[in-house]
Amino acid sequence: MAATGWLYYCTYTHDVDFSLQQLRQMVFDRREFTLPGDLLEGTDAATLQKSAPPTSDLQKLLKISQELDQALKGMGFDTTESEKQTRDVGRMIEQIDQKGFVFAAREVLDTDGSPAPESIEAALELSAEAGTHSILDIHCISPTPQPGAATPLSEDQLQTLFGTLQPTRAMIESADQTGLLHDHCEHWHAVYLTIYEAGQPVEYVFVGKSGD
């Protein structure tokens, strides 16, 4: 799955980081984010099958993992967790051999019946490198662009985009429709700006791209 572009509005406060964290909590409470098992919803078997790696490659991976476990164990390392992961790979290969890759993929990734994450941190841990395809992937405010952070648009960028330093929501919506706002975001980054009404700040808008 490719990165997801997203946009969120939230109430203006004098502390933008406070507003960001409130927004993240709201998105979490409403379950407006994606976990790995969710990616299978609506995905047909043919599409899944095309993504199947050769079984021979998985067998090689299993052998390497087994040899690494043995080597580390011989050096005195605790290999309990790595051996568990190796066994999981072995079971997945067995499932692929017996019932095919599509069945195995759904068995591994399907989260139906699993307890929902109880916190934002738990959701991020479950999503791992795939991300949540939402603002949960943005942790903080930063004056300069960096992964996992939201950066304010500069005055020059505001002037170029809107012709004013006090854009309205209508201006934001127009820029969003044309894709101009997301042009300012790299993958795993976000930008934010203040929305004005009658010259007064009323909202923040956060725009970003995240997820794999």
Side-chain angles (χ1 to χ4, degrees):
M1 185 175 181
T4 300
W6 39 258
L7 180 149
Y8 298 92
Y9 298 98
C10 68
T11 302
Y12 175 86
T13 70
H14 292 293
D15 185 341
V16 65
D17 185 66
F18 176 78
S19 292
L20 170 63
Q21 302 310 327
Q22 278 196 320
L23 175 59
R24 294 175 78 233
Q25 189 63 50
M26 181 186 70
V27 169
F28 174 78
D29 291 342
R30 293 180 179 179
R31 186 52 169 90
E32 296 174 350
F33 57 91
T34 299
L35 293 176
D38 302 336
L39 302 180
L40 295 181
E41 294 183 7
T43 304
D44 59 85
T47 300
L48 282 175
Q49 188 61 46
K50 287 180 182 178
S51 65
T55 304
S56 58
D57 288 350
L58 293 175
Q59 292 285 3
K60 291 176 183 178
L61 173 63
L62 177 61
K63 184 177 180 180
I64 291 171
S65 185
Q66 290 170 335
E67 292 174 349
L68 182 59
D69 288 343
Q70 291 176 0
L72 291 173
K73 194 170 186 177
M75 297 169 64
F77 289 95
D78 182 0
T79 58
T80 302
E81 184 61 30
S82 63
E83 287 183 281
K84 178 182 179 299
Q85 293 174 352
T86 298
R87 289 193 296 272
D88 288 344
V89 172
R91 282 194 290 269
M92 184 179 70
I93 293 174
E94 290 178 3
Q95 290 279 41
I96 292 173
D97 289 339
Q98 294 171 8
K99 301 181 180 180
F101 176 78
V102 173
F103 177 87
R106 294 192 185 281
E107 282 288 296
V108 171
L109 293 178
D110 193 357
T111 58
D112 287 346
S114 300
E118 296 183 355
S119 66
I120 293 174
E121 291 71 23
L124 292 172
E125 184 175 351
L126 283 172
S127 65
E129 292 83 1
T132 66
H133 296 259
S134 76
I135 200 166
L136 298 190
D137 299 320
I138 302 301
H139 309 277
C140 62
I141 301 297
S142 172
T144 56
Q146 58 179 291
T151 308
L153 287 180
S154 68
E155 291 187 356
D156 287 344
Q157 289 171 320
L158 289 172
Q159 286 286 4
T160 299
L161 280 168
F162 308 109
T164 177
L165 299 182
Q166 297 185 356
T168 64
R169 182 185 268 241
M171 293 177 183
I172 303 299
E173 291 172 349
S174 178
D176 181 39
Q177 291 176 359
T178 60
L180 291 176
L181 287 176
H182 285 94
D183 288 345
H184 290 80
C185 304
E186 296 183 33
H187 194 186
W188 301 108
H189 290 63
V191 296
Y192 73 90
L193 60 147
T194 304
I195 300 174
Y196 289 81
E197 183 178 306
Q200 297 298 315
V202 291
E203 290 181 296
Y204 290 117
V205 58
F206 289 87
V207 183
K209 297 176 187 174
S210 67
D212 282 324

